[in-house]
């Protein structure tokens, strides 16, 4: 997140595991950053309105499943389009070799 843009997405790729070498999990956290000052006047950052989603794949990252979704396209409802956007983000991030 930058000084000018308070919204951010944090992505983390987990897996494969010893138990299932084809398992890939992508953790996606959406948050707003707020800068405040502590009692000594030092700037501090905190994350607000944080939402976390876990996309799971058991075929090496070719296809993903997502248990929950939220309105990410801003049209006011949670529908198939929202879920597809989150799944596309997970698949794209999982395909990056050295993020």
């Amino acid at each position: 997140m930058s000084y000018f843009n308070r919204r951010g997405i944090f992505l983390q790729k987990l897996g494969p595991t010893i138990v299932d070498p084809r398992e890939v999990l992508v953790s996606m956290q959406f948050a707003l950053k707020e800068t405040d000052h502590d009692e000594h006047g030092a700037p501090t950052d905190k994350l607000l309105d944080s939402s976390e989603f876990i996309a799971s794949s058991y075929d090496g990252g070719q296809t993903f499943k997502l248990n929950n979704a939220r309105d990410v396209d801003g049209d006011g409802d949670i529908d198939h389009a929202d879920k597809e956007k989150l799944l596309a983000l997970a698949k794209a991030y999982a395909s990056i070799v050295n993020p």
Side-chain angles (χ1 to χ4, degrees), residues 13-25 56-64:
K13 180 180 170 185
L14 309 166
T17 64
I18 295 172
V19 175
D20 189 352
R22 301 203 33 88
E23 177 184 39
V24 177
L25 302 175
S56 56
S57 172
Y58 298 98
D59 60 3
Q62 298 301 310
T63 60
F64 281 89

Side-chain angles (χ1 to χ4, degrees), residues 45-64:
D45 293 328
K46 56 184 166 181
L47 297 179
L48 305 174
D49 192 26
S50 179
S51 301
E52 186 173 346
F53 305 97
I54 304 288
S56 56
S57 172
Y58 298 98
D59 60 3
Q62 298 301 310
T63 60
F64 281 89

